[in-house]
Amino acid sequence: MSTQACKISIAHELSPDLALRDIATSFMDRLESQRCPEIILDFSEVETITRSFAHEYVARKAKSSLSINEVNVPDNIGRMFKVIENSEKKPRFDNLRHSQTIFL
Amino acid sequence: MAIGHPELVRRYMEYTDIRDKAVKTGKVDLENVRFLTPTTLLPLSIYLRRTMRSLTLIPPPNPNVESYLWCMMKDRGFDTLNGSTCLPVVSLPKNEDLSQPIMKKAYDLAGDPGGKNAFRYLVGELVDNIYQHSRFEMALVMAQQYRKSGVMHLCIIDDGITIAGSLLGSGMVLDDEQAIIDALEGASSKKEQERGRGLGTTLSLTLKGYRGCMLVVSGRGAIYCDGENDLRYRLSDRNKYEGTLISMKIPLTTEEVDLYEHTSL
């Protein structure tokens, strides 16, 4: 028996601007509930993405039993996924940390 | 007035001056206020919304500001903001599922300085912080363009538990200004390793990508950063904010700000 993949346009399902961690969470919950083991997520028409959304999506995808493949991923969106893969926490605001406290 | 401090700090102090006089006199006196920027207007709006029944408002001379304030104070004032096409303010709904059209309105009002990629990242991450951490009752976003001076003031505010309050929930006991700094460096009330990046990356993008400046006020703590100054403040009871206010000034640039080039996300 063959199973067909389900193709979903994420821009139409959510928004061209992918933001908010909880929106990513509830989207992934809906994908999980669809009983479609193979999903093709079409990122065409997606214009922007926040780090929080991307991180939640990547984390949920890693834990999911579904096979999820992204297609038509714009360059700027793909770069955010790479950021998530390669990130590390580094101190960035040393001057602020060591500045004298002003009482106001 | 906080003479000698950066403009965003002074604008915040304009609000605390008004509030302090209101506590002492029972009057919110705006008679001599000619001009209100978002950094003053947003905390004032939330304050009026909470206290108006027990205080007298002496309105400002500018009829536009006066009508705006009356709009904010009505029972459905914050809902009206989201229906209005001209006020540069949106009220965040408590139900996050309803937030997407509201955020779209904020983007449309602001006009995406620096391009959609960078600007919507700024707004999206700041709004996400409010939903993830603040437990707000009221939260507002305002994006005001000042074409003559070529800048945008972007201001976001909530009346929630403060940054230190959020970190306290996961066992971190910190002074308010230290909590802001730790949050900028990645501390989070959420346990996962990758959490806690939103505020720090937003500041980094504002400073390095936009070459703008940012003020964060939360509880008795505040920080201000621009290209040359990194200031940390401990606020008196008179000047504290019971919630979190984030205000930034960025240039009204049509040039694309590269979200990835200037920031270590």
Side-chain angles (χ1 to χ4, degrees):
Chain A
M1 186 169 83
S2 65
T3 53
Q4 245 182 333
C6 300
K7 192 171 182 184
I8 296 170
S9 164
I10 194 170
H12 291 173
E13 191 70 20
L14 294 178
S15 165
D17 301 298
L18 300 177
L20 307 186
R21 188 175 289 277
D22 289 345
I23 300 295
T25 301
S26 56
F27 175 69
M28 294 304 286
D29 288 344
R30 289 203 299 278
L31 288 190
E32 298 273 0
S33 72
Q34 278 195 357
R35 299 178 189 232
C36 189
E38 196 178 330
I39 293 182
I40 297 171
L41 265 189
D42 187 348
F43 277 74
S44 53
E45 297 181 68
V46 173
E47 295 186 6
T48 66
I49 191 167
T50 62
R51 196 184 196 287
S52 301
F53 185 101
H55 172 250
E56 188 66 21
Y57 168 76
V58 167
R60 284 292 302 268
K61 182 185 166 187
K63 292 183 209 167
S64 176
S65 57
L66 301 173
S67 164
I68 301 174
N69 292 300
E70 299 94 13
V71 297
N72 302 321
V73 180
D75 285 344
N76 62 317
I77 307 302
R79 283 179 82 177
M80 186 61 80
F81 289 138
K82 286 198 166 43
V83 163
I84 301 299
E85 283 170 23
N86 298 320
S87 74
E88 50 184 287
K89 277 188 188 176
K90 290 182 276 200
R92 273 186 288 210
F93 305 108
D94 273 348
N95 289 345
L96 191 55
R97 183 171 285 284
H98 296 119
S99 64
Q100 207 168 359
T101 302
I102 302 167
F103 292 87
L104 199 59
Chain B
M1 174 82 104
I3 298 170
H5 293 279
E7 188 207 340
L8 290 182
V9 175
R10 298 199 309 273
R11 296 297 182 193
Y12 172 69
M13 299 300 287
E14 285 176 6
Y15 157 68
T16 62
D17 286 345
I18 294 167
R19 183 181 68 185
D20 185 57
K21 284 180 192 149
V23 167
K24 289 171 178 163
T25 66
K27 293 177 192 169
V28 178
D29 186 354
L30 306 178
E31 194 176 30
N32 296 316
V33 174
R34 293 176 184 277
F35 189 66
L36 286 171
T37 66
T39 312
T40 314
L41 198 47
L42 288 198
L44 181 60
S45 299
I46 292 185
Y47 179 70
L48 287 175
R49 190 91 173 84
R50 279 184 160 164
T51 60
M52 209 49 232
R53 288 192 173 83
S54 57
L55 295 174
T56 305
L57 172 67
I58 302 172
N62 184 330
N64 289 332
V65 179
E66 182 187 358
S67 66
Y68 168 80
L69 286 172
W70 283 118
C71 170
M72 297 288 272
M73 280 151 43
K74 284 183 200 160
D75 278 342
R76 294 184 61 81
F78 285 1
D79 296 335
T80 307
L81 292 176
N82 293 342
S84 166
T85 55
C86 59
L87 290 172
V89 187
V90 295
S91 165
L92 292 178
K94 289 201 72 180
N95 182 349
E96 193 171 359
D97 290 335
L98 303 177
S99 64
Q100 303 231 56
I102 306 303
M103 288 173 68
K104 173 84 170 56
K105 187 188 174 194
Y107 303 147
D108 291 344
L109 285 171
D112 293 318
K116 285 183 185 177
N117 210 28
F119 185 74
R120 295 184 187 198
Y121 181 92
L122 278 183
V123 175
E125 288 291 352
L126 292 174
V127 169
D128 193 51
N129 272 348
I130 289 184
Y131 282 112
Q132 289 293 310
H133 303 292
S134 77
R135 298 189 219 165
F136 71 98
E137 288 295 319
M138 291 182 272
L140 302 172
V141 182
M142 182 171 186
Q144 179 71 60
Q145 295 186 11
Y146 297 96
R147 291 185 188 276
K148 276 187 188 169
S149 51
V151 298
M152 163 170 288
H153 279 221
L154 175 63
C155 192
I156 186 162
I157 193 171
D158 69 72
D159 64 352
I161 61 173
T162 76
I163 294 172
S166 173
L167 294 178
L168 182 64
S170 57
M172 288 179 257
V173 181
L174 297 164
D175 290 335
D176 283 308
E177 86 275 7
Q178 191 59 50
I180 298 171
I181 293 170
D182 282 9
L184 286 167
E185 292 284 18
S188 175
S189 58
K190 313 292 181 182
K191 300 276 184 243
E192 299 96 313
Q193 166 69 14
E194 270 296 310
R195 299 296 296 267
R197 305 298 189 103
L199 193 58
T201 57
T202 300
L203 177 58
S204 195
L205 177 59
T206 301
L207 296 182
K208 294 181 193 168
Y210 280 94
R211 301 195 185 281
C213 58
M214 182 189 273
L215 169 72
V216 181
V217 183
S218 190
R220 285 188 177 80
I223 66 101
Y224 170 87
C225 295
D226 59 30
E228 294 165 2
N229 302 288
D230 297 289
L231 306 174
R232 61 190 283 174
Y233 293 90
R234 190 168 298 173
L235 304 176
S236 61
D237 270 352
R238 178 199 189 276
N239 293 325
K240 69 183 178 186
Y241 186 69
E242 289 177 350
T244 300
L245 165 72
I246 298 176
S247 182
M248 57 186 77
K249 260 198 316 183
I250 55 176
L252 274 176
T253 176
T254 53
E255 276 184 37
E256 189 89 9
V257 170
D258 189 325
L259 173 59
Y260 304 100
E261 181 182 346
H262 296 290
T263 59
S264 48
L265 294 181

